[in-house]
């Protein structure tokens, strides 16, 4: 187990290097001059341009630029935005908001998804089952901005149940509720169907038959023996989804005006702010890899047949 | 009676219902029918089966795949999936009480303390995510309200009783960490945990090596004699159960076609199907002979042929076999067979 974790951590290094190199190259290859528009309508003064090029090593060939960047990165320096703000400070302000939104979306999709999946799985083919089957199909096939816009209009504007958009730099639980539900809706649909399928399959299994033959109550046979096994793929999915959610939700954050990393990344790309883009993506990649490692470890705990050694 | 748990807990039945066998009669199955209602039609899997089981008695149920052995066992345990299964007729009485008309909660409480079952594939029949000791201990906890640590101690004693080496160290291990034979011993430990009066073993050794098969059968025999259980041994291989079983019921297409004492049946089968099954067993004293398997396939249970269900495959079949259904009847004292020509078969 310990050696497994160390091996996995070492494996992360080439992945992080590869990912940052790719994103670095892509930002570098973006058409246009990074200085364009920096100084209003006019071209930038030569002295400013020279300082700018020096600061971001723009005169070096790409591999050297990258090497210098990674060198700084290894010392914990994620660089500065073109406005001279440290990228890491930008992320420190925004990441907690994204993480809060992600956790709320995750809790929503997990609790509702599993509950719905269990009830439809037990009463397979019933009215509720068919209703859920159709509505999950609808949710999965509609783009997020449509779901977001519609729920904003009906639940926010028409019914006034939720704030329509986020208005503070540090949004409250209540303000994030509707965005979290929108953000979690697609995974919610997947989770409920995955739970249902997995439960139906496990209810047919030999060990559930054994549980019945042991004289256990039906509630225990289903709620403990079958469900414990059914949740293995579900919890794994939820774990991976957490990794994605922590990457920031560009569309949802944009719709609800949430100052999270998704929106920040989006604006940085639009502004050709190379340092911000590369720095943010690097952080996201590292977070994603760590969450994945945690999910794999969790999977080993959930399923004793998996051994990490 | 020696049991593994009588040193700490008296045998108590939380159900409040006591079952006492009269004259040692544990189980009476009477004219049982089981149908499966499927989209393709109704399959009659069990077609009027009757038998008794007494304390200390071993009954083997022998038959080809699909003959209805497992369905019979599951009907007795009450673990058939209903639907698709329907029991349109018959009785299953345990100590005189009809299990089929019993309220479900009362019946549930008989599973484990009164009637218990072990299955063919112990790997899939044990829950993969719980330790084996926990799964055995669950019997004591759920049926008798024993606390976790006491239940686990009782589980360890049971694992020792079924001869699992280093039971104390392995009580927290998971099913996949055991060999096939050890897993089946764990199934057995779980099934006998509450000292049931009836134990049903559905092909308990089919998935195992020949040497392990013999060990498991020996263990079952030992436990049965120690506890005077009524044992139902389901098999498609007579050779495996011949040493343990007292009586044999031969099943074909959901019916018993022959019932006899095991030695008598071995020496002189009274039904052509039984004869065919016996001829397909490899015998040590006749090396090199080819096995005479029964030609053809069992009937489709949705369209069982008129007359004798075995007639399309029977070498002896005559016109009467295609017309009249032979009833299970006494051929010679103590021997029952369902064949128009049973007297000739038994003397052949
Ligand atoms: N759930 C079910 N739905 C439909 N038919 C079923 C179902 N379970 C069993 N049957 C049918 O009932 C018949 C008897 O099955 P059973 O499992 O009792 O056979 P068996 O004698 O135990 O055979 P095997 O040696 O293969 O275990 C088979 O023809 C089978 O197709
Ligand atoms: S009744 Fe006829 S067909 Fe049936 S087993 Fe006897 S001889 Fe064969
Ligand atoms: Mg079977």
């Amino acid at each position: 187990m310990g050696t497994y974790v160390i091996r996995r951590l070492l494996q992360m290094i080439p992945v992080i290097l590869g990912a940052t190199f790719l994103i670095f190259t892509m930002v570098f290859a973006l058409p246009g001059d990074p200085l364009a528009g920096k100084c209003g309508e006019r071209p930038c003064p030569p002295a400013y341009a020279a300082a700018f090029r020096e600061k971001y090593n723009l005169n070096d060939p790409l591999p050297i630029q990258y090497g210098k960047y990674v060198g700084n990165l290894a010392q914990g320096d994620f660089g500065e935005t073109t406005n001279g703000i440290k990228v890491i400070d930008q992320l420190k302000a925004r990441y907690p908001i994204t993480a809060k939104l992600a956790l709320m979306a995750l809790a929503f999709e997990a609790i509702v998804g599993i509950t719905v999946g269990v009830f439809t799985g037990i009463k397979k083919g019933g009215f509720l089952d068919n209703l859920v089957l159709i509505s999950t199909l609808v949710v999965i096939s509609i783009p997020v901005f449509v779901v977001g816009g519609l729920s904003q209009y009906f639940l926010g504007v028409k019914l006034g149940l939720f704030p329509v958009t986020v208005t503070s730099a540090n949004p409250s639980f209540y303000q994030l509720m509707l965005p979290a539900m929108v953000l979690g809706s697609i995974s919610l649909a997947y989770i409920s169907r995955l739970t249902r399928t997995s439960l139906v399959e496990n209810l047919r299994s030999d060990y559930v038959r054994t549980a019945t033959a042991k004289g256990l109550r039906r509630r225990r046979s289903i709620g403990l023996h079958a469900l414990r096994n059914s949740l293995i793929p579900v919890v794994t999915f939820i774990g991976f989804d957490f990794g994605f959610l922590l990457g920031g939700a560009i569309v949802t954050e944009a719709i609800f005006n949430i100052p999270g990393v998704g929106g920040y990344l989006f604006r940085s790309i639009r502004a050709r702010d190379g340092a911000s883009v590369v720095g943010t993506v690097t952080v996201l990649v590292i977070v994603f890899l760590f969450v994945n490692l945690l999910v794999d470890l969790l999977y080993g705990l959930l399923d004793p047949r998996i051994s990490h050694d | 009676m020696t049991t593994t748990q009588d040193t700490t807990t008296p045998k108590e039945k939380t159900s409040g219902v006591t079952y006492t066998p009269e004259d040692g009669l544990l189980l009476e199955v009477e004219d049982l029918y089981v149908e499966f209602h499927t989209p393709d039609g109704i399959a009659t899997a069990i077609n009027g089966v009757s038998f008794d089981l007494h304390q200390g008695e071993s009954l083997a149920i022998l038959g080809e795949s699909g003959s209805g052995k497992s369905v019979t066992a599951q009907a007795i345990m009450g673990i058939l999936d209903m639907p698709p299964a329907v029991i349109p007729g018959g009785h299953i009485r345990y100590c005189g009480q009809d299990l089929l008309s019993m309220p479900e909660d009362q019946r549930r409480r008989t599973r484990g303390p009164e009637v218990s079952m072990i299955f063919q594939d112990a790997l899939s029949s044990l829950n993969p995510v719980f330790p084996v000791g926990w799964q055995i201990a669950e019997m004591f906890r759920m049926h008798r309200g024993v606390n976790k640590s006491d239940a686990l101690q009782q589980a360890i004693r049971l694992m020792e009783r079924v001869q699992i080496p280093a039971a104390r160290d392995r009580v927290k291990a998971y099913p996949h960490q055991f060999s096939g034979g050890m897993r089946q011993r764990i199934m057995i430990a779980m099934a006998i945990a509450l000292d049931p009066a009836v134990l049903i073993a559905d092909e308990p050794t089919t998935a195992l090596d020949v040497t392990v098969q013999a060990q498991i059968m020996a263990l079952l025999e030992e436990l049965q004699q120690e506890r005077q259980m009524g044992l139902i041994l389901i098999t498609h291989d007579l050779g495996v159960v011949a040493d343990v079983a007292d009586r044999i019921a031969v099943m074909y297409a959901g019916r018993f076609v022959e019932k006899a004492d095991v030695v008598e049946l071995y020496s002189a089968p009274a039904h052509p199907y039984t004869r065919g099954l016996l001829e397909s067993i490899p015998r040590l004293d006749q090396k090199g002979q080819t096995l005479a398997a029964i030609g053809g396939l069992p009937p489709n249970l949705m369209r069982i042929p008129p007359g004798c269900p075995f007639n399309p495959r029977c070498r002896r079949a005559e016109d009467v076999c295609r017309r009249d259904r032979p009833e299970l009847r006494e051929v010679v004292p103590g021997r029952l067979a369902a064949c128009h020509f049973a007297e000739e078969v038994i003397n052949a």
Side-chain angles (χ1 to χ4, degrees):
Chain A
M1 179 82 168
T3 46
Y4 172 78
V5 173
I6 292 170
R7 206 172 63 227
R8 284 287 304 266
L9 289 174
L10 290 176
Q11 281 170 359
M12 281 183 189
I13 295 172
V15 178
I16 293 171
L17 287 178
T20 48
F21 182 72
L22 269 179
I23 197 76
F24 199 89
T25 323
M26 281 197 266
V27 172
F28 185 86
L30 277 181
D33 183 355
L35 278 169
K38 278 271 149 351
C39 310
E41 293 299 303
R42 295 166 292 117
C44 284
Y48 176 83
F52 187 91
R53 288 181 189 285
E54 182 61 27
K55 180 170 166 193
Y56 292 98
N57 305 312
L58 293 183
N59 298 322
D60 295 329
L62 177 67
I64 307 275
Q65 278 188 38
Y66 178 68
K68 287 183 175 168
Y69 182 79
V70 170
N72 291 338
L73 205 59
Q75 294 162 36
D77 182 0
F78 284 84
E80 278 180 14
T81 67
T82 44
N83 309 328
I85 305 168
K86 284 208 174 305
V87 173
I88 198 77
D89 290 337
Q90 291 278 23
L91 289 175
K92 269 186 196 153
R94 293 182 160 87
Y95 218 109
I97 297 166
T98 292
K100 191 171 174 184
L101 181 65
L103 277 173
M104 286 175 66
L106 198 75
F108 171 69
E109 69 189 38
I111 294 169
V112 180
I114 291 174
T115 310
V116 168
V118 168
F119 281 108
T120 52
I122 294 172
K123 286 245 175 287
K124 176 172 64 122
F127 172 73
L128 181 71
D129 190 21
N130 284 312
L131 183 76
V132 170
L133 204 73
I134 293 168
S135 46
T136 50
L137 256 181
V138 171
V139 169
I140 289 172
S141 52
I142 294 181
V144 185
F145 66 87
V146 178
V147 178
L150 287 175
S151 60
Q152 210 171 24
Y153 180 69
F154 286 105
L155 302 176
V157 177
K158 281 272 165 184
L159 297 174
L161 291 174
F162 300 98
V164 179
T165 58
V166 169
T167 46
S168 93
N170 193 7
S172 67
F173 181 79
Y174 180 51
Q175 284 183 320
L176 287 179
M177 234 147 80
L178 189 59
M181 291 195 305
V182 170
L183 182 58
S185 61
I186 289 186
S187 292
L188 165 72
Y190 277 115
I191 289 169
S192 64
R193 299 190 78 165
L194 186 60
T195 307
R196 176 194 180 277
T197 313
S198 177
L199 184 63
V200 166
E201 194 178 298
N202 279 288
L203 286 176
R204 277 200 298 259
S205 72
D206 286 354
Y207 63 80
V208 169
R209 187 187 60 189
T210 306
T212 314
K214 283 167 84 174
L216 303 181
R217 287 173 205 277
R218 192 174 134 80
R219 202 187 313 148
R220 189 172 171 93
S221 302
I222 297 176
L224 185 68
H225 284 267
L227 193 58
R228 175 65 180 70
N229 282 276
S230 311
L231 287 183
I232 295 173
V234 178
V235 172
T236 309
F237 175 84
I238 292 172
F240 284 121
D241 200 42
F242 188 48
F244 283 109
L245 290 174
L246 284 179
I250 293 181
V251 178
T252 309
E253 286 183 6
I255 296 173
F256 292 96
N257 191 33
I258 299 166
V261 282
Y264 174 60
L265 184 62
F266 183 63
R267 282 189 299 277
S268 304
I269 294 171
R270 293 267 309 258
R272 289 198 201 84
D273 185 345
S276 293
V277 175
V278 181
T280 308
V281 171
T282 307
V283 170
L284 297 184
V285 167
I286 292 172
V287 168
F288 187 77
L289 290 176
F290 267 98
V291 172
N292 269 13
L293 174 58
L294 288 180
V295 171
D296 282 352
L297 294 177
L298 180 68
Y299 190 59
L301 288 181
L302 286 175
D303 189 345
R305 286 162 296 187
I306 308 295
S307 81
H308 290 312
D309 44 34
Chain B
M1 208 191 312
T2 40
T3 61
T4 46
Q5 68 269 15
D6 58 7
T7 47
T8 52
T9 26
K11 182 169 172 172
E12 48 169 308
K13 299 274 162 69
T14 45
S15 58
V17 184
T18 44
Y19 300 90
T20 328
E22 211 165 298
D23 296 328
L25 179 60
L26 292 171
L27 200 65
E28 298 160 87
V29 175
E30 192 185 308
D31 210 18
L32 181 68
Y33 285 79
V34 178
E35 293 171 349
F36 287 99
H37 290 214
T38 68
D40 302 330
I42 296 177
T44 309
I46 306 297
N47 216 319
V49 157
S50 304
F51 66 91
D52 292 346
L53 185 73
H54 292 77
Q55 281 177 322
E57 183 186 30
S58 310
L59 170 72
I61 299 180
L62 176 71
E64 288 172 303
S65 185
S67 55
K69 308 180 296 290
S70 298
V71 172
T72 306
Q74 288 167 11
I76 296 170
M77 284 303 294
I79 57 171
L80 281 170
D81 286 326
M82 303 169 88
V86 175
I87 300 184
H91 298 280
I92 302 172
R93 276 184 286 270
Y94 173 71
C95 293
Q97 301 206 35
D98 196 345
L99 294 174
L100 295 179
S101 57
M102 206 177 256
E104 174 49 30
D105 199 55
Q106 188 187 344
R107 186 165 193 202
R108 173 181 69 73
R109 290 169 202 264
T110 65
R111 297 182 196 124
E114 309 294 341
V115 189
S116 208
M117 182 162 175
I118 58 181
F119 300 93
Q120 172 175 339
D121 183 358
L123 181 60
S124 64
S125 299
L126 290 165
N127 195 322
V129 302
F130 295 116
V132 294
W134 184 94
Q135 297 190 50
I136 300 171
E138 193 178 28
M139 297 298 279
F140 299 110
R141 290 172 54 212
M142 294 304 130
H143 285 276
R144 294 194 183 147
V146 178
N147 71 41
K148 260 189 184 171
S149 68
D150 288 353
L152 208 60
Q153 291 306 315
Q154 298 189 29
I156 293 172
R157 280 201 288 281
L158 274 167
M159 286 170 69
E160 283 164 351
R161 176 63 196 87
V162 298
Q163 292 143 30
I164 291 170
R168 192 164 289 278
D169 303 328
R170 307 208 66 191
V171 69
K172 294 233 161 73
Y174 292 91
H176 73 275
Q177 294 167 318
F178 290 84
S179 68
M182 288 300 145
R183 271 196 294 267
Q184 195 55 281
R185 285 171 195 270
I186 288 159
M187 274 303 291
I188 293 172
M190 198 158 77
I192 62 162
L194 304 179
D195 216 357
V198 174
L199 178 63
I200 305 173
D202 188 355
E203 311 211 23
T205 64
T206 306
L208 305 173
D209 295 344
V210 180
T211 47
V212 183
Q213 282 186 357
Q215 291 163 4
I216 295 289
M217 290 313 300
L219 174 66
L220 281 174
E221 185 175 21
E222 202 182 299
L223 290 168
Q224 187 223 0
Q225 297 193 343
E226 173 184 299
R227 299 166 179 235
Q228 287 299 300
M229 289 183 289
L231 181 64
I232 298 177
L233 279 171
I234 292 175
T235 183
H236 61 250
D237 183 354
L238 184 58
V240 175
V241 298
D243 294 337
V244 182
D246 307 318
R247 286 189 304 145
I248 290 193
V250 180
M251 201 164 200
Y252 187 75
R255 288 185 170 84
F256 282 169
V257 295
E258 176 160 10
K259 277 205 263 188
D261 176 274
V262 66
V263 181
E264 289 179 25
L265 180 130
Y266 234 143
S267 55
H271 194 282
Y273 177 62
T274 315
R275 179 170 292 272
L277 288 178
L278 290 185
E279 281 167 2
S280 64
I281 301 174
R283 292 176 62 155
L284 292 175
D285 52 337
Q286 292 170 1
K287 256 196 193 143
Q289 77 166 19
T290 50
L291 299 183
I294 308 166
L297 289 171
N300 180 335
L301 296 176
M302 296 187 193
R303 282 184 298 278
I304 297 174
C308 174
F310 188 56
N311 84 65
R313 301 169 73 187
C314 184
R315 271 175 287 176
R316 284 190 82 99
E318 295 183 17
D319 282 347
V320 62
C321 303
R322 285 177 276 272
R323 196 179 60 235
D324 298 335
R325 176 152 296 172
E327 294 302 321
L328 190 64
R329 64 196 169 87
E330 193 155 47
V331 183
V332 292
R335 299 282 312 264
L336 286 87
C339 171
H340 293 304
F341 304 103
E343 285 80 1
E344 291 165 37
V345 178
I346 202 170
N347 292 319

